[in-house]
Amino acid sequence: MARTRGKDSLGPASRGQRRNKIVHVFTEGRVTEPQYIEIVRDRAGANGIEVRIANATAPGSQRKPITLVDAAARLMREETRAAKKAKLAEKFWPEVWCLFDRDQHEQIPDAFKLAKEAGVRIAFSHPCFELWRLLHHKPVQSTFGGVCGEAVKLLPFANDAENIKSVLPGQIPKGSFALAKKRAQEINAQHPAHKAKDLRDPYTDVYEFVEEGLGITAY
């Protein structure tokens, strides 16, 4: 499996020596998103990007969106300073991403605002990440009323999985990324541009994280 680590520092690097770009990822889920990332990276193979799960050991109390973004913003400042000090080529400067859901969380607009100001990227799903998993199997044509369970029960393996939060390789059909992305773009296009993301149901832009954060365009 591809490595995902919780190391929080850029590490030493002299001018011209670094060969990989580092992408730090803060995930709301302790299991689901990291397992998904590991599976798709394993399928895609080495691509010059090192992924580090920045909050791998964080407790649930530190996984609310606003808390994630606050920690990500601090790390972004630290890593940017380190990259400049190490005189890295800009193409190797680290990125920091947060993956979180709408669920019933408060301060979602504040989290988006803080991320934008700090240069932190967000991959957001409404009502939850399971929508993105579902789109690998079927299109979605109606709202979920903000209830994650409504998306979960549509997953073809929902009744068979002992723990739906675990992501298994067989739950992600090979070659399904392009179709999942197309379906996501179709549901996202139903919402007017002026509508706040936390009010768009259903919505997911996880495919942007896959392409722009992980550097993967197919799996």
Side-chain angles (χ1 to χ4, degrees):
M1 286 287 189
R3 291 187 303 166
T4 53
R5 300 190 294 168
K7 187 177 179 181
D8 286 341
S9 64
L10 181 64
S14 299
R15 182 194 296 269
Q17 289 186 345
R18 185 168 297 281
R19 293 294 180 267
N20 293 333
K21 182 171 184 176
I22 297 175
V23 175
H24 300 275
V25 186
F26 288 79
T27 64
E28 179 185 346
R30 185 178 299 175
V31 176
T32 309
E33 294 94 328
Q35 287 184 342
Y36 165 78
I37 292 169
E38 193 169 17
I39 290 169
V40 300
R41 279 178 54 77
D42 184 55
R43 287 187 186 175
N47 64 352
I49 295 177
E50 180 182 342
V51 177
R52 299 179 180 178
I53 303 300
N55 64 331
T57 60
S61 61
Q62 295 179 18
R63 292 178 178 272
K64 296 180 180 179
I66 190 65
T67 307
L68 289 182
V69 175
D70 184 61
R74 291 197 302 272
L75 180 58
M76 186 68 182
R77 290 192 292 270
E78 293 169 3
E79 292 293 79
T80 299
R81 285 196 297 268
K84 291 179 178 179
K85 184 176 180 179
K87 302 186 186 307
L88 293 182
E90 195 164 342
K91 65 180 180 180
F92 292 125
W93 283 21
E95 290 185 9
V96 182
W97 285 76
C98 289
L99 275 64
F100 59 80
D101 308 335
R102 178 62 186 90
D103 288 326
Q104 303 301 316
H105 294 302
E106 299 178 352
Q107 295 183 283
I108 295 290
D110 293 332
F112 274 106
K113 182 175 183 292
L114 176 58
K116 184 176 181 179
E117 293 171 348
V120 171
R121 301 290 303 275
I122 290 177
F124 177 71
S125 298
H126 191 326
C128 55
F129 186 78
E130 278 60 43
L131 168 62
W132 173 241
R133 298 172 70 184
L134 177 61
L135 293 173
H136 287 72
H137 298 272
K138 61 180 70 174
V140 169
Q141 299 176 335
S142 61
T143 180
F144 294 105
V147 181
C148 185
E150 294 300 308
V152 169
K153 70 182 183 182
L154 294 179
L155 289 167
F157 47 84
N159 294 329
D160 299 325
E162 293 183 4
N163 183 355
I164 199 67
K165 290 190 177 297
S166 294
V167 181
L168 305 176
Q171 296 172 355
I172 306 175
K174 290 186 177 181
S176 60
F177 173 71
L179 187 55
K181 174 186 173 181
K182 179 176 181 291
R183 290 167 173 166
Q185 290 176 322
E186 288 173 350
I187 63 172
N188 294 350
Q190 297 175 10
H191 304 292
H194 66 270
K195 190 172 186 178
K197 285 187 179 180
D198 62 307
L199 301 178
R200 302 177 189 181
D201 179 9
Y203 178 90
T204 182
D205 52 23
V206 174
Y207 59 88
E208 293 183 356
F209 165 69
V210 174
E211 292 184 327
E212 299 173 26
L214 303 182
I216 294 171
T217 56
Y219 56 72

